[in-house]
Amino acid sequence: MSHSHFELVSNQAIAVCGTFYFLALLAHLAEWALGRTVPLDAVSATTFSEAVAGGGTDTLVAVEESTERMERWGRIGVILTVVAAGMQFVAVASRGLAADPIRVPWGNMYEFTMTGTLVVTLVYLGLYRKYKLSWLSPVVTGFVLITLMADVLLLYTPVVPLRDALQSPWLIIHVVAAITATGAFTIGGMASILYLVKERWLERQAAGKETSAKAGYLARLPGLVELDRLAYRTHAFAFPVWTFAALIAGPIWAQSAWGRYWGWDPKEVWAFITWVVYAAYLHARATAGWKGRAAAIIALIGLATLWFNFIGINFFFGSGSMHSYA
Amino acid sequence: MSEPGFSHDRDVETGVAPLAPREFLRWTWRQLTSMRTALILLFLLALGAVPGSVIPQDAVDALKSAQWREAHPSLTPIWEKLGLFHVYSSVWFTAIYILLMVSLVGCILPRTRVYFKAMRARPPRTPRNLTRLPEYRTFTTDQEPDVVLARARAALSGYRIDDHDGSLAAERGYLREAGNLVFHISVLIVLVGFATGSLFGYKGGVIVVTGGQFANVASQYDEFAPGSLFNIKNLAPFSFKITDFDVTFITQGREAGMAQDFSAGVDYRTGVDGALRHTRIAVNHPLSIDGAKVYLIGHGYAPNVTVRDADGTIAYSGPVVFTPEDATFRSTGVIKVPDARPSQLGFRGEFYPTYAFTMATGPFSAFPDDKNPALSMLVYAGNLGMDSGIPQSVYALDMKGLKPVRKDNKAMRVDLTLGQTVTLPNGLGSVTFDGVSRFVKLQVSHNPSGWVALLGMIMALIGLLGSLFIKPRRVWVAVRREGGRTLVDVAGLDRSSGGTLPEQIDALAAHLEENEA
């Protein structure tokens, strides 16, 4: 295949991949819609008979059926997500093969966003079993789908060779670290959002403002402690990676490409801001009065600065930033 | 205490400031070094960094900030008072990070003292009531109590273990706090490296036309920014000559016009009488020379122009740097000819490396390479104002003493293709476009303490990893005989969050319960 064929393959793969993410999202929405008819403690088949011991045989059969259907749709969703991630990998890899000479597929915003969302999906799939992440499925598939749509509609760039400043081994090191951290921070941010939503829901329920829906999505979210733990673990993983990407690899590369390791370029400034906010998050989590709610809000501020830096800087300061390609 | 960060146990002490001076000082110190203050300072630091990314900074792009000032005459004086054109060296930004550093020191010192004691401490004695601990398992077994304890001891490798009568106490993860302290000390080291780099280093920019020479003295720089403690007598006495400049532009396909790679040939000499050596520099491949580094950061065209008087005397001849305006290298520049007679001449206009013209766009450059170079300039005569003593930009004409030269009742524009000569009216002489040279924009920088900042940052990362992933944990195993069997209690306490204590205690209990035979 020639280089231009690969570009075509990439464009088609990303379209197919978007379709699969959409189907996966639908499957997960079906999963949660069906879940409303399944009692909370009936999902695992082992405890299931005890849960409905009070009801008659009819209810038992009905519940068993809807539990099975719910779990089936969940599985279908995950399989569709795996297929989508596979297609997305093809799309990313063929972007690199489409360039002449071939290069790593991280030359512009379109490619960064494509790879970043792939990392989000991979982190989610990787942790799915260990943390029983079925509750995160609609959020992840929805987020990746929307981000990819925006990527294709707004950021699409034809394949071109790497600019001279990007021709360095540090491209791989710096960008892989930055994208990995971005993906992990994003998953952590989702857990923090759900933490806030669930906390509010529990509060309203306690105050009697909310009729306690027995088996809705919020009821099925893990408890606050588990949500907080997942958020902390992903952030604790992402923070050192970000430190390395933004404050070690970045400066070393900037030193050799631009002659200074830190120059307060807008992208550098915002990478620093993101770092400071996430440092505040880690501190807040250990401080009385800041734990939980306040820490979750700080994590979301961090996520906002991260994504603003990733995309916003280029729209607002495009020409003024030496990172205008990133 | 176990999370990365400051000690926060004194956050409980709030309240009104006491009036006695000593008490007040102590109160202020406590407030300043409290975790809440540190968090607020972190937020202020993040917030304070924002304007520097929005408003053009003098230190980042002087030209841009000058343009911004011109465009916003009413805001400029206010912004200047607030230091918004040099945010990162402004009083208020400095105040934030100095306060943060004080707060950091106020946290590191006491914690280091505490840590030195804790580092050598033995695990706390087995509590009398293990059932109260967060994780607790119990079972009975036929194994002898001593056997169970010996097996527990073997299973708890990596723990610091103390034997007591009928129980053992184990603890691990002492290095977490060390990582934490290393991280915070490293932040100070990075700051020191950053500050000394800007105090004792220098940075300069210079444009050199190919064939041109450069010697490392302050007067040869177009812009020179020494650190406030750098003595310009200490500039390393190296020199170099730009022998040639190579650039390949892609001519085919969608990427047409993109520079594929470019590099400049350099003949350089370290010291006054070092051996002459040759190398090539390119983006990402600077030249290291006498502790300084020479970076290629830009390039462009310098058309060669000769200006003659009416009698043929050469008033000026040589390359003139035109600064590129866009990706096609349409470039703007001025030529000043103070030696022209009868009156001084000035030219202002554009250079097109590949000249093209349409009625819709006017003249433009169709390609960045010099395929069909052309100059198009307006001509001015009169007084260039170069003797007034006020330093002038080489890229602008001082229009005060100049009048446009007119021809056929219009301001005269000279359009020159390569080799062409145009005669100016009124006996002002002639101008010839002889050829095209290229120039390179170089940056020379010397940063004696960059490695300190890098070392600090790497130490910070290592400390951070330790403080995030080392899990401090205490485990106790107690045994006693009861009714001919051995009753075993296993209990654990996690001293950080996010750990997997329940699983660990489960595994330990299961391992001990499982009979070896």
Side-chain angles (χ1 to χ4, degrees):
Chain A
M1 277 203 291
S2 76
H3 295 291
S4 54
H5 283 133
F6 274 114
E7 186 170 0
L8 203 64
V9 167
S10 175
N11 293 346
Q12 288 172 345
I14 206 74
V16 175
C17 143
T19 314
F20 274 102
Y21 275 123
F22 180 58
L23 294 175
L25 177 62
L26 289 183
H28 287 303
L29 293 178
E31 175 191 359
W32 291 104
L34 286 166
R36 300 188 75 86
T37 59
V38 180
L40 266 191
D41 39 5
V43 177
S44 110
T46 45
T47 58
F48 151 81
S49 44
E50 300 153 33
V52 282
T57 328
D58 288 353
T59 9
L60 195 100
V61 172
V63 167
E64 188 168 13
E65 263 175 16
S66 46
T67 308
E68 253 173 34
R69 269 160 58 201
M70 179 188 178
E71 288 179 341
R72 195 185 313 134
W73 279 110
R75 277 197 301 278
I76 292 175
V78 173
I79 292 167
L80 288 169
T81 310
V82 171
V83 175
M87 289 313 287
Q88 199 176 353
F89 179 78
V90 170
V92 170
S94 25
R95 282 291 290 193
L97 294 170
D100 182 20
I102 62 168
R103 58 167 168 83
V104 288
W106 305 308
N108 49 57
M109 286 303 299
Y110 174 68
E111 293 168 357
F112 293 138
T113 310
M114 208 152 105
T115 316
T117 46
L118 179 59
V119 171
V120 171
T121 309
L122 292 180
V123 171
Y124 151 77
L125 288 175
L127 299 179
Y128 187 87
R129 230 167 236 279
K130 188 169 174 201
Y131 291 100
K132 302 184 182 67
L133 288 183
S134 58
W135 49 274
L136 198 59
S137 308
V139 183
V140 168
T141 45
F143 169 82
V144 172
L145 177 65
I146 290 169
T147 314
L148 273 183
M149 274 165 68
D151 191 30
V152 172
L153 292 176
L154 302 174
L155 299 172
Y156 180 78
T157 329
V159 176
V160 290
L162 288 182
R163 293 164 159 246
D164 44 293
L166 291 179
Q167 289 174 10
S168 160
W170 288 101
L171 171 66
I172 299 170
I173 301 164
H174 173 68
V175 172
V176 165
I179 288 181
T180 307
T182 304
F185 275 137
T186 304
I187 294 279
M190 288 172 181
S192 294
I193 292 176
L194 293 176
Y195 176 95
L196 291 173
V197 171
K198 176 115 186 184
E199 194 204 30
R200 189 181 143 82
W201 181 74
L202 287 174
E203 258 172 28
R204 286 175 65 96
Q205 249 188 355
K209 283 181 195 159
E210 192 97 47
T211 48
S212 46
K214 282 176 215 84
Y217 177 66
L218 291 177
R220 273 178 207 283
L221 282 180
L224 292 180
V225 176
E226 286 78 32
L227 283 171
D228 180 60
R229 182 182 301 157
L230 178 71
Y232 172 69
R233 285 198 181 165
T234 37
H235 282 114
F237 165 76
F239 186 71
V241 179
W242 183 252
T243 306
F244 175 75
L247 301 180
I248 294 179
I252 292 176
W253 188 11
Q255 177 78 51
S256 74
W258 299 327
R260 85 288 185 291
Y261 62 88
W262 192 263
W264 300 108
D265 178 76
K267 206 103 185 172
E268 294 172 359
V269 172
W270 280 87
F272 173 71
I273 292 173
T274 302
W275 189 81
V276 169
V277 174
Y278 278 120
Y281 164 77
L282 291 179
H283 285 104
R285 248 190 115 263
T287 310
W290 290 73
K291 277 185 193 124
R293 193 185 165 74
I297 291 172
I298 297 172
L300 293 180
I301 296 173
L303 192 64
T305 64
L306 180 75
W307 279 90
F308 175 74
N309 192 18
F310 195 49
I311 293 183
I313 289 285
N314 299 70
F315 284 111
F316 293 109
F317 313 98
S319 60
S321 168
M322 296 182 85
H323 283 82
S324 53
Y325 40 77
Chain B
M1 279 280 262
S2 48
E3 295 289 332
F6 304 70
S7 82
H8 43 90
D9 44 352
R10 40 179 130 97
D11 267 14
V12 274
E13 298 174 43
T14 41
V16 192
L19 289 173
R22 260 190 76 159
E23 286 303 299
F24 179 76
L25 276 178
R26 180 171 296 170
W27 179 85
T28 312
W29 177 251
R30 290 222 159 150
Q31 290 296 312
L32 187 59
T33 55
S34 81
M35 183 72 148
R36 208 173 26 150
T37 312
L39 274 170
I40 291 167
L41 286 171
L42 276 175
F43 277 117
L44 283 178
L45 188 71
L47 212 59
V50 174
S53 73
V54 182
I55 298 160
Q57 298 292 295
D58 285 341
V60 176
D61 192 340
L63 185 69
K64 217 165 179 194
S65 74
Q67 286 166 346
W68 197 94
R69 278 173 221 229
E70 249 166 59
H72 303 84
S74 52
L75 276 179
T76 298
I78 307 172
W79 269 203
E80 255 167 10
K81 276 219 175 65
L82 295 173
L84 290 179
F85 295 109
H86 52 95
V87 167
Y88 307 109
S89 53
S90 68
V91 178
W92 52 271
F93 192 79
T94 313
I96 295 173
Y97 77 73
I98 286 183
L99 281 176
L100 196 59
M101 289 307 130
V102 172
S103 159
L104 196 60
V105 171
C107 145
I108 292 173
L109 289 180
R111 285 186 80 160
T112 311
R113 212 172 47 224
V114 169
Y115 179 65
F116 265 106
K117 273 189 220 137
M119 203 172 57
R120 281 162 298 168
R122 304 304 309 174
R125 285 190 71 90
T126 315
R128 203 161 293 160
N129 193 352
L130 286 176
T131 53
R132 281 204 200 143
L133 285 156
E135 294 299 330
Y136 169 73
R137 310 281 183 276
T138 185
F139 60 88
T140 52
T141 172
D142 290 329
Q143 302 165 75
E144 288 300 312
D146 288 348
V147 175
V148 174
L149 284 183
R151 291 183 61 206
R153 184 176 254 287
L156 291 167
S157 66
Y159 279 76
R160 187 175 290 180
I161 300 173
D162 267 5
D163 288 311
H164 301 291
D165 193 23
S167 72
L168 65 80
E171 182 165 11
R172 67 154 212 212
Y174 290 86
L175 281 177
R176 182 191 184 90
E177 178 68 0
N180 201 348
L181 289 170
V182 166
F183 172 77
H184 286 96
I185 292 167
S186 305
V187 171
L188 292 177
I189 296 178
V190 171
L191 202 79
V192 168
F194 195 73
T196 49
S198 54
L199 287 178
F200 294 100
Y202 67 83
K203 196 167 110 175
V206 60
I207 284 178
V208 183
V209 177
T210 50
Q213 310 238 16
F214 173 83
N216 193 28
V217 291
S219 61
Q220 292 241 331
Y221 283 99
D222 297 327
E223 49 202 50
F224 186 67
S228 25
L229 294 180
F230 180 76
N231 185 345
I232 55 169
K233 281 184 200 139
N234 293 342
L235 279 171
F238 62 83
S239 58
F240 58 79
K241 176 184 173 182
I242 301 297
T243 54
D244 64 286
F245 179 76
D246 242 11
V247 59
T248 321
F249 292 100
I250 300 172
T251 53
Q252 297 273 314
R254 198 165 46 205
E255 303 90 52
M258 208 169 129
Q260 190 136 52
D261 49 345
F262 54 87
S263 65
V266 186
D267 280 343
Y268 66 99
R269 226 185 261 285
T270 53
V272 185
D273 41 27
L276 192 68
R277 272 175 289 191
H278 183 81
T279 188
R280 299 199 72 78
I281 58 173
V283 175
N284 279 321
H285 299 283
L287 162 68
S288 293
I289 180 169
D290 273 358
K293 284 198 166 173
V294 182
Y295 298 89
L296 176 62
I297 56 172
H299 61 105
Y301 291 97
N304 291 295
V305 175
T306 302
V307 179
R308 291 184 177 81
D309 293 346
D311 59 11
T313 318
I314 293 178
Y316 177 84
S317 184
V320 184
V321 169
F322 273 54
T323 46
E325 298 290 325
D326 58 27
T328 68
F329 279 78
R330 176 179 63 84
S331 312
T332 57
V334 303
I335 304 170
K336 298 180 186 183
V337 194
D339 297 336
R341 297 288 175 270
S343 64
Q344 296 186 332
L345 292 175
F347 299 84
R348 184 168 70 187
E350 296 194 324
F351 169 79
Y352 310 96
T354 303
Y355 178 82
F357 183 91
T358 65
M359 285 311 286
T361 59
F364 66 99
S365 175
F367 194 71
D369 211 355
D370 57 340
K371 301 279 186 207
N372 177 26
L375 270 170
S376 174
M377 300 179 292
L378 292 168
V379 191
Y380 301 89
N383 186 350
L384 288 166
M386 290 168 82
D387 305 323
S388 63
I390 302 162
Q392 271 193 2
S393 161
V394 292
Y395 303 109
L397 289 177
D398 178 3
M399 296 305 290
K400 251 180 281 165
L402 293 173
K403 281 217 167 78
V405 172
R406 301 180 73 82
K407 191 182 178 186
D408 307 331
N409 278 329
K410 288 191 303 198
M412 184 192 182
R413 178 175 279 281
V414 291
D415 290 315
L416 294 161
T417 55
L418 200 61
Q420 206 180 0
T421 300
V422 167
T423 306
L424 303 173
N426 313 331
L428 287 168
S430 69
V431 53
T432 310
F433 179 19
D434 301 314
V436 180
S437 297
R438 289 180 194 266
F439 72 81
V440 289
K441 193 165 185 227
L442 302 173
Q443 182 182 300
V444 181
S445 48
H446 169 62
N447 187 344
S449 57
W451 66 272
V452 177
L454 179 63
L455 184 79
M457 217 47 237
I458 291 172
M459 276 170 60
L461 184 62
I462 293 169
L464 185 64
L465 291 173
S467 78
L468 286 174
F469 299 117
I470 293 174
K471 300 282 176 212
R473 179 172 296 159
R474 288 175 183 160
V475 175
W476 292 275
V477 180
V479 286
R480 64 174 186 276
R481 294 297 287 185
E482 223 175 65
R485 303 194 76 201
T486 306
L487 181 76
V488 184
D489 292 326
V490 180
L493 173 69
D494 237 347
R495 305 190 67 220
S496 70
S497 61
T500 50
L501 183 66
E503 291 88 332
Q504 299 289 323
I505 296 297
D506 276 341
L508 178 64
H511 172 75
L512 294 178
E513 189 170 9
E514 167 191 306
N515 216 321
E516 275 208 313

